[in-house]
Amino acid sequence: MNRNEFLAALDEMLELDPGTLKGGETLDDIDSWDSLAVISFIALVDEKFNTVVAGEDLAKAKTVDDLLALVSDHVTA
């Protein structure tokens, strides 16, 4: 999966218009980023990459780019 495909999956997961997320967005500024979205992100990563994101790592994420960094081993440029 490449970066754009992953951002599209995040758009869909967060119920945003396609192409909304570019990477630099602050998670706190995204209305749909809440505790349910965190769980959905964990499930998305598990489904797409068969890997589990550590809760403490996810808690440190402040931007969409930080989320991408958590899956950088699986997402190509």
Side-chain angles (χ1 to χ4, degrees):
M1 176 176 281
N2 68 34
R3 176 185 171 89
N4 290 335
E5 292 167 335
F6 190 72
L7 288 173
L10 286 177
D11 281 335
E12 183 178 341
M13 182 196 83
L14 294 170
E15 299 180 351
L16 300 171
D17 292 332
T20 297
L21 298 176
K22 303 296 181 205
E25 299 82 7
T26 302
L27 296 175
D28 287 341
D29 292 341
I30 301 171
D31 290 337
S32 54
W33 184 257
D34 56 15
S35 58
L36 181 58
V38 170
I39 293 167
S40 295
F41 178 79
I42 292 168
L44 174 70
V45 171
D46 183 36
E47 175 186 326
K48 298 289 184 187
F49 309 123
N50 197 28
T51 191
V52 177
V53 175
E56 59 270 6
D57 292 335
L58 188 52
K60 294 175 189 173
K62 302 297 179 206
T63 66
V64 172
D65 281 333
D66 292 340
L67 296 179
L68 282 162
L70 293 173
V71 295
S72 63
D73 289 347
H74 305 284
V75 176
T76 61

